[in-house]
Amino acid sequence: MNTVELKPGIYAVGAVDWNVRSFHGYTTNRGATYNAYLIIDEKITLIDTVKAPFAEEMIRRISAIIDPSKIDYVVSNHVEMDHSGGIPAIMKLATNATIVTTAASGLDGLKAHYGSDYNYLPVKGGDSLSLGKRTLQFVATPMLHWPDNMVTYCPEEKILFSNDAFGQHYATSKRFDDEVDLDIAMAEALKYYANILMPYSMQCSKTIPVVKSLDIDMIAPSHGVIWRSHIADIVAKYEYFSDGKPEPKACVVYDSMWHSTEKMAHAIMEGFARNGITAKLFDLKENHISDIMSDILKTEYIAVGSPTLNNNMLPTVASFLCYLKGLAPKNKKAFAFGSYGWGGQGIRGVNQELMACKFDVIAEPFAQLYIPTPSDLDALENTVAELSK
């Protein structure tokens, strides 16, 4: 198997998942990678593993460099199984290896997943581990995005093994940022942040100064390409993603049965546009909820529309709102809209969910009986223009 040398004696030995198209409801249209890194030193160290079905691919890459039985340490930056799933396979070969993980959540998590029979070395933020010529320093990053998360820094090589931070779900035969289309890598980094790390933006904003204080010339994440030429750019993007400051943008998200709610959505778009607000329209029949989140991250206004079906909102809208609530975006202004035939419960349900998201609900639901007339649509456009001045 091909291996890529990051620096002398340090190799990328992970796996590429070309076919995966979903990660917990987040569409991975460009596939994914599960990155693992091998350090050859007096103490041979593997940093992270791969998703279990790809363990053989990882082991073949390691075996092209050294006998896996010679591995001394396996550093587990994160318990989640797309990172740790290869531990049982590698530990069958590296029977004398010690697994390095966070105390106590990482230790508890790994034991819950894989048992207590391995040699474990729990570490905390600020601890270090000598490999010989190199040192590994551990930085705790709890809730980015599990309690056990940490990143690992090698000061001698100026490499930050950054775990989920700065990652992208992006399958490519190239390993570095300067070998791929940077716009694609950045778009996937945004989508990754919006769908995985958005709920933890406060923790992320606290971690960025720590990252910036380190002398880094390479960031090696657990997913996607390794950053070596655009480190300042991706760090700046993370500062931007996590700052919680909305921009004058609007997302209008809806589903419609007989086009009445759809007509309302277009009128709402026109109302926002009248004030120079950049607005985007998302029909949930055509747009996946995880793709919408890239725009939700920095938007100021969210308008959500649904007709009433069986005394409720449409299932597509309910799914969107459930997913949105879990990601907990902050500092949003919102309102509900939709058409109805006799009850109107669907629009009221949307409004309740927007309130449950803890948004600033800036208007009572815009509920339209049956089909909106041109004058109805003009009135709605005018009202949204006033609301968003």
Side-chain angles (χ1 to χ4, degrees):
M1 300 281 301
N2 290 325
T3 58
V4 175
E5 195 169 25
L6 280 63
K7 293 193 175 186
I10 301 180
Y11 301 87
V13 293
V16 182
D17 190 346
W18 295 97
N19 297 322
V20 65
R21 291 295 180 268
S22 179
F23 186 84
H24 312 326
Y26 154 20
T27 56
T28 51
N29 299 319
R30 291 190 172 96
T33 68
Y34 314 113
N35 298 341
Y37 302 98
L38 185 70
I39 302 175
I40 305 300
D41 207 318
E42 293 173 25
K43 296 291 185 181
I44 295 172
T45 301
L46 178 65
I47 296 185
D48 288 319
T49 67
V50 297
K51 197 175 177 179
F54 296 86
E56 181 181 352
E57 182 177 341
M58 178 188 69
I59 289 168
R60 289 177 65 197
R61 293 190 197 279
I62 293 170
S63 299
I65 303 165
I66 53 106
D67 180 348
S69 68
K70 295 181 179 179
I71 293 173
D72 296 287
Y73 293 116
V74 176
V75 175
S76 178
N77 280 323
H78 182 21
V79 171
E80 194 170 7
M81 289 181 282
D82 54 326
H83 303 250
S84 70
I87 284 178
I90 198 67
M91 294 301 286
K92 284 182 180 178
L93 303 174
T95 55
N96 294 317
T98 297
I99 299 174
V100 182
T101 185
T102 53
S105 54
L107 180 62
D108 292 342
L110 289 179
K111 286 182 176 181
H113 282 75
Y114 309 113
S116 303
D117 294 337
Y118 300 131
N119 296 319
Y120 290 104
L121 175 61
V123 296
K124 60 184 184 300
D127 287 352
S128 62
L129 182 66
S130 175
L131 307 184
K133 293 181 291 184
R134 302 178 183 89
T135 306
L136 298 181
Q137 298 176 354
F138 305 108
V139 180
T141 57
M143 297 316 302
L144 282 178
H145 59 128
W146 281 20
D148 64 281
N149 282 68
M150 69 176 180
V151 299
T152 300
Y153 175 59
C154 181
E156 294 83 5
E157 302 289 358
K158 301 181 182 180
I159 300 178
L160 179 68
F161 300 97
S162 65
N163 193 358
D164 275 325
F166 310 111
Q168 333 93 52
H169 281 312
Y170 182 17
T172 169
S173 61
K174 301 297 185 180
R175 297 275 66 82
F176 295 101
D177 59 341
D178 49 27
E179 298 176 322
V180 301
D181 186 316
L182 182 61
D183 289 339
I184 292 176
M186 285 296 187
E188 291 300 332
L190 166 59
K191 184 175 180 181
Y192 189 95
Y193 186 96
N195 284 275
I196 294 178
L197 297 178
M198 192 197 304
Y200 313 106
S201 289
M202 183 178 68
Q203 292 89 335
C204 186
S205 64
K206 292 178 179 178
T207 301
I208 293 298
V210 177
V211 172
K212 292 178 73 172
S213 72
L214 302 174
D215 188 7
I216 296 171
D217 61 19
M218 192 173 291
I219 296 178
S222 291
H223 301 291
V225 295
I226 298 161
W227 304 94
R228 66 179 178 186
S229 296
H230 301 281
I231 292 172
D233 297 321
I234 189 60
V235 172
K237 284 290 186 185
Y238 261 60
E239 286 185 294
Y240 169 69
F241 295 161
S242 64
D243 66 12
K245 299 175 183 176
E247 297 179 349
K249 298 178 180 180
C251 289
V252 182
V253 184
Y254 73 97
D255 198 352
S256 191
M257 294 168 65
W258 296 108
H259 305 293
S260 293
T261 300
E262 180 179 19
K263 290 177 181 179
M264 297 176 73
H266 282 271
I268 290 166
M269 287 283 292
E270 294 298 325
F272 283 125
R274 196 186 295 179
N275 290 323
I277 293 170
T278 301
K280 296 187 77 169
L281 188 70
F282 297 99
D283 182 343
L284 287 166
K285 290 189 291 292
E286 307 296 336
N287 295 275
H288 193 272
I289 54 179
S290 65
D291 292 319
I292 299 171
M293 295 305 152
S294 294
D295 288 283
I296 291 287
L297 178 65
K298 297 295 287 188
T299 197
E300 182 177 5
Y301 297 96
I302 302 173
V304 182
S306 176
T308 295
L309 174 69
N310 298 329
N311 297 325
N312 212 328
M313 70 187 82
L314 288 179
T316 50
V317 180
S319 176
F320 167 76
L321 289 168
C322 177
Y323 194 77
L324 181 69
K325 185 163 58 176
L327 290 173
K330 301 291 191 295
N331 302 320
K332 308 299 181 189
K333 299 173 184 175
F335 60 84
F337 67 95
S339 61
Y340 68 100
W342 50 90
Q345 297 93 329
I347 304 98
R348 292 197 291 273
V350 171
N351 188 66
Q352 290 168 1
E353 288 302 305
L354 293 174
M355 294 174 67
C357 288
K358 299 181 180 179
F359 296 154
D360 178 12
V361 177
I362 58 175
E364 291 296 315
F366 297 105
Q368 174 66 50
L369 178 63
Y370 291 117
I371 301 169
T373 65
S375 60
D376 290 330
L377 296 175
D378 288 343
L380 177 58
E381 178 183 330
N382 291 335
T383 302
V384 171
E386 286 297 316
L387 281 172
S388 59
K389 270 187 178 178

